[in-house]
Amino acid sequence: FRVMSAGPSLSRGLELLVCSGGIFVSFLLFGIFQERILSTPYGPDKERFHFTFFLLFFQFLASFLSSVWKCRGQKNEAPIYKFGVFSFTYFVAMLCSNYALQYVDYPTQVLGKSCKPISIMIVSTLMGRRFSLVKWTLVLVIVGGITMFFFKPDLHETKENSLIGIIFLITSLTCDGFTGPLQDSIFSTYKTSRYHMMTYSNIYAMAFSIFGMIVNGELVESV
């Protein structure tokens, strides 16, 4: 997103700094609030928050509201149904990532999701895209560093990680790997904007969340 209110006098370097800082701060606050919501005991019975679909619905709603107003004046030639497939992988990735926190500690979840670039590159390669040796090397170095940090002895003192949590993380990463290439295929085939991409994908994701709340029995209880 461009810094719209700063005017044309804002240098490109400062604009990049502001936008990059906004991304880091937003992800930091998101992680803090997410961990507190999912790990804090509530009520006299010390129950944990388990309305995952309800939580995801509001995440998708916030993303939808941040993008829909930018669609004005933007042209979209992609059929609406084309957004459905990658929206499903996007939804499942978010769902599994949240469920994983019930079985693994937060550092494990964050480090696991940090391996997202390698899953995207693998799936993109399977779909016919080619990457240079330099890109593969950089990604492998990043993943290698994450792996070394992951096996640090004192990292997991507060919670034991279970196999099912790791499976949720792997599923989330696999879905992330498909989401990016599927989005790229739409961009390369149709004339559309990233704001339409965000808007329609979050509409689908909200619909999937509502369906999940109905099936899981969360719709009434969570409200």
Side-chain angles (χ1 to χ4, degrees), residues 29 42 52 137 178:
L29 293 176
Y42 297 95
T52 306
T137 303
F178 281 97

Side-chain angles (χ1 to χ4, degrees), residues 42-183:
Y42 297 95
D45 297 329
K46 303 297 181 181
E47 294 182 325
R48 296 294 180 93
F49 185 89
H50 59 275
F51 302 113
T52 306
F53 290 100
F54 181 78
L55 180 63
L56 286 176
F57 174 81
F58 281 97
Q59 289 181 225
F60 298 134
L61 177 62
S63 297
F64 166 77
L65 294 176
S66 69
S67 63
V68 66
W69 67 279
K70 292 288 292 182
C71 289
R72 294 177 298 176
Q74 302 278 344
K75 190 174 183 180
N76 173 53
E77 296 179 353
I80 305 303
Y81 73 89
K82 289 286 186 179
F83 298 97
V85 177
F86 84 83
S87 298
F88 181 73
T89 60
Y90 162 60
F91 167 76
V92 174
M94 295 284 286
L95 179 66
C96 291
S97 180
N98 278 268
Y99 269 126
L101 281 175
Q102 299 179 22
Y103 304 97
V104 300
D105 55 27
Y106 198 73
T108 300
Q109 192 248 29
V110 172
L111 291 173
K113 292 292 287 184
S114 298
C115 296
K116 178 178 176 179
I118 193 69
S119 65
I120 293 176
M121 291 182 71
I122 291 174
V123 174
S124 297
T125 300
L126 294 176
M127 295 177 67
R129 188 176 176 182
R130 294 293 178 263
F131 297 94
S132 66
L133 181 60
V134 174
K135 287 187 177 181
W136 279 109
T137 303
L138 290 174
V139 169
L140 290 175
V141 168
I142 293 172
V143 174
I146 293 171
T147 304
M148 291 175 64
F149 185 74
F150 176 78
F151 286 105
K152 187 178 179 182
D154 59 347
L155 181 63
H156 312 289
E157 291 180 346
T158 58
K159 185 177 183 179
E160 182 179 354
N161 297 318
S162 68
L163 177 60
I164 189 171
I166 303 300
I167 293 174
F168 274 128
L169 280 179
I170 294 174
T171 304
S172 178
L173 286 171
T174 302
C175 290
D176 281 331
F178 281 97
T179 300
L182 290 172
Q183 288 177 322

